[in-house]
Amino acid sequence: MTPFEAVSGVANACQVLPNIITGGQPSAEQLQALKQAGGGIVLDLRDPMEPRPVSEPELVRELGMEYANVPVTAGTLNDKTIESILEVLRKAGDKTVFFHCGSGNRVAAALIPYFMLDEKMAEEDAINEAMRVGLRSSEMLEWG
């Protein structure tokens, strides 16, 4: 089983690059399957106060994966937040990153600068890819 197959049941699950998988909130079972399939890092854009079905930071660490949380909320739509997200993605190396929020909308917006700066995509292509990943909000598009 590949890391993408492990989380394929997550809302808006998408393999955007060989080492980056995106989607919505995973379950405990999906996180366990991700680890067994070779997942290395979970990058969570949800605010710690958002309701979730599992204590994700603890579970991810118990499973032996790295956990990073960069909350994306109305008050954090700024360059500092983008830089924090890009730092995690850039330092991942060959580790597979599962990059998620609640639905995929925030993740998709945050990928626009990564696609343009790191993957050298044209702006239109980056936006189209973000829409495929789950971008649905004009506010998130503008932030990205």
Side-chain angles (χ1 to χ4, degrees):
M1 176 182 295
T2 68
F4 176 70
E5 290 168 337
V7 296
S8 63
V10 169
N12 291 319
C14 192
Q15 178 97 43
V16 296
L17 293 167
N19 68 326
I20 299 178
I21 301 164
T22 62
Q25 178 64 50
S27 68
E29 294 78 18
Q30 289 162 328
L31 289 169
Q32 290 166 346
L34 176 66
K35 172 58 180 173
Q36 291 172 348
I41 301 171
V42 174
L43 174 53
D44 179 5
L45 299 190
R46 300 187 75 197
D47 186 284
M49 299 304 290
E50 288 181 58
R52 44 184 92 226
V54 62
S55 178
E56 188 173 338
E58 292 157 19
L59 177 59
V60 168
R61 290 182 184 116
E62 283 174 17
L63 291 169
M65 293 185 288
E66 295 173 42
Y67 178 81
N69 179 237
V70 181
V72 173
T73 63
T76 64
L77 299 180
N78 55 46
D79 289 348
K80 184 177 186 276
T81 301
I82 288 283
E83 286 300 324
S84 296
I85 293 165
L86 292 176
E87 182 178 346
V88 174
L89 294 173
R90 290 171 177 160
K91 287 185 175 181
D94 61 354
K95 293 179 184 171
T96 297
V97 178
F98 178 62
F99 184 18
H100 81 88
C101 56
S103 67
N105 185 44
R106 290 173 275 185
V107 166
L111 279 171
I112 293 170
Y114 182 78
F115 288 150
M116 292 174 67
L117 298 171
D118 294 72
E119 297 298 317
K120 308 299 183 207
M121 283 186 189
E123 181 178 358
E124 183 178 342
D125 294 337
I127 291 170
N128 287 338
E129 186 67 8
M131 292 179 82
R132 185 178 75 85
V133 169
L135 181 64
R136 299 291 178 265
S137 158
S138 60
E139 179 184 27
M140 287 292 127
L141 171 61
E142 184 66 29
W143 172 63

